[in-house]
Amino acid sequence: MRIYPLAWLEETGEGFDVAFLDIEMPGMSGIALAQRLKELCPRGNLIFVTGFSQYMTEAFQLHASGYIRKPVTVKAVEEELRNLRYPVQERAAPTLRVQAFGNFEVFYGGRPVHFSRSRTKELFAYLIDRRGAGSTMGELISILWEGRLDTPSIRSQLRSLITDLRTTLQGLGQGAIIIKKRDLIAVDPERVDCDYYRFLAGDRREANAFRGEYMSNYSWAETTLGALTRKEGQGETGS
């Protein structure tokens, strides 16, 4: 599969650390591509790799980080990477962000996470509500299928939901959030950025953000909402 970095940058707005460019390329020349890359990401490092030394002046007018003459050697690449014009900054891995105040929503990399089934999303919401405490299959059935009997058919549907949830999170590289042990399933709270968790930890910003709504799309969340409301009242009284 070919990757076209220019189209990807223009579509996503993401930056880049280092781009290795040839001068002679089909379609757009390396110089023209470098100009466009600089417009999209001014602090991206451009390293030209070519056998044509006459382009060196144009390359450095673009504030290129480096220029490697063909044939390319490992030593030459390593030398350029050690002396980048713009040092590469370590980026923290994206964290799954969970919004519990108001309606329950999940975001990754700033974008909403799509759940293929509404009950899969509700399952995740309930596990978030439990804050790492394990839930049994029977407990989850009573929550997700309120009023329905615990039958083999319902258990099979629940197992499908659990698989669907794990597959969704694994697709984001966040599979470790779900902890499954025998008949218990839970989330690892340390791997989730959640407004509800920060509120309980005493984060003043989340205390201000709480407006008396918690996972409003689920009726079972009213119990936790009551506890949050009491906690907020106690905080106001204490101040």
Side-chain angles (χ1 to χ4, degrees):
M1 183 178 90
R2 291 185 178 181
I3 298 176
Y4 297 92
L6 179 58
W8 178 77
L9 287 170
E10 290 175 333
E11 179 181 350
T12 65
E14 296 282 349
F16 65 91
D17 294 321
V18 184
F20 289 85
L21 306 173
D22 202 341
I23 297 292
E24 298 290 339
M25 298 190 300
M28 180 181 289
S29 73
I31 296 295
L33 175 57
Q35 290 172 334
R36 182 61 180 139
L37 290 177
K38 265 302 184 190
E39 292 172 4
L40 294 170
C41 183
R43 293 186 64 81
N45 292 285
L46 303 174
I47 298 177
F48 286 92
V49 182
T50 182
F52 303 97
S53 59
Q54 64 267 32
Y55 293 105
M56 189 176 291
T57 300
E58 290 181 82
F60 283 105
Q61 284 176 346
L62 289 168
H63 302 289
S65 178
Y67 196 102
I68 300 175
R69 292 288 303 276
K70 294 181 179 179
V72 179
T73 65
V74 172
K75 182 179 180 180
V77 172
E78 291 177 341
E79 181 66 22
E80 293 296 343
L81 291 176
R82 279 195 296 267
N83 295 281
L84 294 173
R85 179 183 289 270
Y86 304 108
V88 175
Q89 301 295 320
E90 290 292 332
R91 294 186 178 89
T95 304
L96 198 75
R97 183 171 70 84
V98 172
Q99 172 189 298
F101 295 161
N103 283 341
F104 176 78
E105 299 295 344
V106 183
F107 303 88
Y108 183 74
R111 298 181 180 181
V113 174
H114 172 70
F115 293 88
S116 59
R117 308 180 196 179
S118 59
R119 272 206 177 107
T120 300
K121 183 176 181 179
E122 185 174 3
L123 167 63
F124 190 42
Y126 185 71
L127 295 177
I128 290 292
D129 179 76
R130 296 280 291 159
R131 290 187 292 139
S135 297
T136 65
M137 298 287 278
E139 178 185 350
L140 293 173
I141 288 171
S142 69
I143 292 294
L144 301 175
W145 286 272
E146 186 177 1
R148 296 284 297 275
L149 294 176
D150 183 347
T151 65
S153 174
I154 292 295
R155 288 222 163 203
S156 177
Q157 291 181 54
L158 176 56
R159 284 193 290 270
S160 294
L161 290 183
I162 293 172
T163 299
D164 186 40
L165 175 59
R166 297 180 81 173
T167 300
T168 299
L169 295 176
Q170 286 168 358
L172 301 172
Q174 302 292 310
I177 288 174
I178 299 298
I179 301 171
K180 183 77 168 65
K181 294 182 179 179
R182 295 185 181 180
D183 192 43
L184 292 176
I185 183 170
V187 297
D188 183 348
E190 297 298 321
R191 295 181 178 272
V192 179
D193 176 19
C194 180
D195 50 4
Y196 168 43
Y197 296 170
R198 291 196 301 270
F199 176 88
L200 294 178
D203 190 319
R204 288 183 175 272
R205 291 171 299 179
E206 298 305 339
N208 293 330
F210 179 57
R211 294 290 183 268
E213 294 183 323
Y214 172 80
M215 296 194 186
S216 303
N217 23 0
Y218 306 121
S219 59
W220 48 258
E222 292 178 1
T223 300
T224 302
L225 173 60
L228 289 172
T229 302
R230 289 192 296 274
K231 180 178 176 63
E232 182 188 37
Q234 291 167 359
E236 290 178 353
T237 301
S239 61

